[in-house]
C-alpha cells in the first residue's frame, strides 16, 4: 500500500517516488553493484513529521511544502542517524545540489543542471548534516547521469522523473485533505470585509488562487490571505497580491550562523520561481527581507531561500505578518 492506496490501483503512468517498484529498482541496482540493500521503516516518523504537518498547516490557513519537511526530518535526521547505527560514514543522496568544503566550512551550492537543481528544499541542513552527506549527481547534467547509469547496466537508467507529492499520487491534495480533516464552511470577503461568497473550508485556498473561489461578479479576484481565526478567505484585485517586504521565521543558515549584518541576496519564494533581488536583514528570531521589486503572492507556510550567487546561504518559513517593530 502507498498511504492507503493499493499498489494495484496506481495508474501505469504514475511517477511517484515511494512505490513498491522503486524499492525493487533499488534492490536490483544494489544487486548489480554487489552492495547490501536495506529497507528502513520510517512510517511513524513520516506520518508525524510530514503528513500530519501537511494537514495541520492547511488548517492554519498556510500552504506547506512537504518535501522540505521530509528532507529535514526524515532524510537528514532519522535516516542519517540510522545510517550511523549501521556504521556508514556517509549518506549519499540523489539530490541535484553540490556540497563543497571551504576554509569556513561546508557550503551547499546549486546543481550544475539548473533545471534539476534541488538546493531549495535543502536549506535546513547544517554543518553536521553536510559533513555526513554526499551528493554526487549535482555536479553533472541529468542526461549525463542517465548515460552513466546506462553504461553501468542499471535497469532504471531511463526511468521517468517523479512528479507528484509522494503521498498524493494523483496530485489532488484537496481530496487527500477531505479524508483527514473536518473543514468548516465560512465567508469569502473582499478587502472591505463585505461578504462576496461562501467557502467549504479554508484548507482549500491558498494565496494567489483565482480559480474555484465562488465569489460573485465584478473584476477578477484572487485570494489575498486566509484567516483561520475568523474562518474567512479574503479576496481582492491582483494588484493587492504584491509585497515589497516579508518576514521569515525558523531561519537556518547552512554555515551555522547568520551574516553579521544586512546582505544582498537572491531570494526564491517558491521552488520553481525565479530569484528576486533583495536585502536580507538577519534578526535573532527570524529575518526581514526587503525586495528590490515587489513580489507576487508571497505565501505564508512556503519557504524563502536565500542565495549569494550559487551558494545557498540559508532559508526560513514565510509568515503572513511582519512584526510591528520591524520598521525600515
Amino acid at each position: 500500500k502507498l498511504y492507503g492506496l493499493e499498489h494495484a490501483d496506481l495508474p501505469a503512468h504514475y511517477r511517484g517516488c515511494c512505490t513498491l517498484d522503486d524499492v525493487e529498482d533499488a534492490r536490483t541496482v544494489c544487486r548489480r553493484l554487489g552492495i547490501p540493500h536495506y529497507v528502513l521503516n520510517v512510517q511513524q516518523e513520516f506520518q508525524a513529521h510530514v503528513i500530519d504537518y501537511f494537514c495541520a498547516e492547511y488548517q492554519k490557513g498556510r500552504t506547506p511544502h512537504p518535501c522540505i519537511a521530509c528532507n529535514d526530518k526524515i532524510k537528514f535526521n532519522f535516516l542519517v542517524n540510522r545510517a550511523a547505527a549501521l556504521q556508514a560514514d556517509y549518506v549519499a543522496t540523489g539530490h541535484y545540489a553540490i556540497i563543497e568544503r571551504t576554509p569556513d566550512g561546508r557550503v551547499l551550492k546549486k546543481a550544475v543542471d539548473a533545471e534539476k537543481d534541488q538546493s531549495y528544499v535543502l536549506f535546513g541542513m547544517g554543518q553536521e548534516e553536510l559533513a555526513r552527506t554526499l551528493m554526487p549527481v549535482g555536479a553533472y547534467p541529468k542526461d549525463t547521469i542517465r548515460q552513466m547509469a546506462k553504461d553501468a547496466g542499471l535497469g532504471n537508467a531511463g526511468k521517468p522523473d517523479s512528479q507528484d507529492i509522494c503521498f498524493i499520487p494523483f496530485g489532488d491534495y484537496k481530496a487527500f485533505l477531505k479524508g483527514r480533516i473536518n473543514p468548516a464552511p465560512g465567508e469569502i470577503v473582499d478587502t472591505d470585509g463585505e461578504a462576496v461568497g461562501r467557502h467549504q473550508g479554508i484548507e482549500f485556498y491558498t494565496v494567489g488562487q483565482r480559480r474555484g473561489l465562488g465569489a460573485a461578479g465584478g473584476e477578477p479576484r484572487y485570494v489575498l490571505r486566509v484567516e483561520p481565526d475568523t474562518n474567512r478567505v479574503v479576496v481582492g484585485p491582483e494588484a493587492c497580491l504584491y509585497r515589497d517586504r516579508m518576514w521569515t521565521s525558523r531561519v537556518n543558515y547552512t554555515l551555522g550562523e547568520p551574516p553579521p549584518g544586512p546582505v544582498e541576496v537572491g531570494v526564491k519564494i517558491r521552488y520553481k520561481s525565479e530569484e528576486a533581488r533583495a536585502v536580507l536583514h538577519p534578526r535573532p528570531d527570524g529575518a526581514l527581507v526587503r525586495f528590490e521589486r515587489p513580489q507576487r503572492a508571497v505565501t505564508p507556510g512556503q519557504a524563502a531561500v536565500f542565495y549569494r550567487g550559487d551558494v545557498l546561504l540559508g532559508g526560513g518559513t514565510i509568515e503572513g505578518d511582519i512584526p510591528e517593530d520591524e520598521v525600515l
Side-chain angles (χ1 to χ4, degrees), residues 131-157:
R132 299 169 65 184
T133 305
L134 303 175
M135 296 183 183
V137 303
Y140 302 91
K142 182 65 175 279
D143 290 344
T144 300
I145 294 296
R146 288 193 182 278
Q147 187 60 50
M148 288 179 177
K150 183 178 180 180
D151 293 343
L154 305 183
N156 60 343

Side-chain angles (χ1 to χ4, degrees), residues 201-259:
I202 61 170
E203 296 85 357
F204 309 130
Y205 296 84
T206 187
V207 172
Q209 180 179 334
R210 178 183 175 186
R211 294 183 179 179
L213 296 187
E219 64 180 4
R221 292 189 175 102
Y222 300 79
V223 174
L224 303 181
R225 64 181 181 274
V226 179
E227 299 180 343
D229 293 340
T230 62
N231 195 34
R232 300 192 307 180
V233 175
V234 181
V235 298
E238 184 177 20
C240 293
L241 281 175
Y242 288 82
R243 293 171 56 182
D244 61 0
R245 297 189 303 160
M246 72 176 177
W247 179 258
T248 55
S249 66
R250 291 173 283 177
V251 178
N252 178 71
Y253 298 97
T254 54
L255 280 175
E257 57 184 30

Side-chain angles (χ1 to χ4, degrees), residues 7 17 39 61 69 80 85 101 103 112 115 122 129 132 140 145 156 165 186 191 222 227 240 303 308 312:
H7 187 257
C17 64
V39 177
V80 167
R101 185 177 296 180
V112 167
E115 290 297 316
L122 301 172
E129 292 82 10
R132 299 169 65 184
Y140 302 91
I145 294 296
N156 60 343
I165 297 173
T191 53
Y222 300 79
E227 299 180 343
C240 293
R308 298 204 72 185
L312 189 152

Side-chain angles (χ1 to χ4, degrees), residues 36-51:
H37 177 262
Y38 301 95
V39 177
L40 303 180
N41 187 342
V42 293
Q43 183 175 352
Q44 291 183 347
E45 294 90 341
F46 193 89
Q47 177 70 47
H49 294 283
V50 180
I51 295 180

Side-chain angles (χ1 to χ4, degrees), residues 107-174:
V107 297
L108 186 62
K109 301 178 70 174
K110 298 176 186 175
V112 167
D113 190 336
E115 290 297 316
K116 298 298 180 182
D117 175 53
Q118 295 175 300
S119 59
Y120 174 88
V121 300
L122 301 172
F123 75 85
M125 298 185 73
Q127 288 297 293
E128 182 178 353
E129 292 82 10
L130 291 171
R132 299 169 65 184
T133 305
L134 303 175
M135 296 183 183
V137 303
Y140 302 91
K142 182 65 175 279
D143 290 344
T144 300
I145 294 296
R146 288 193 182 278
Q147 187 60 50
M148 288 179 177
K150 183 178 180 180
D151 293 343
L154 305 183
N156 60 343
K159 187 173 182 175
D161 294 342
S162 60
Q163 295 180 334
D164 296 314
I165 297 173
C166 66
F167 57 90
I168 307 180
F170 304 107
D172 189 351
Y173 84 92
K174 294 182 180 180

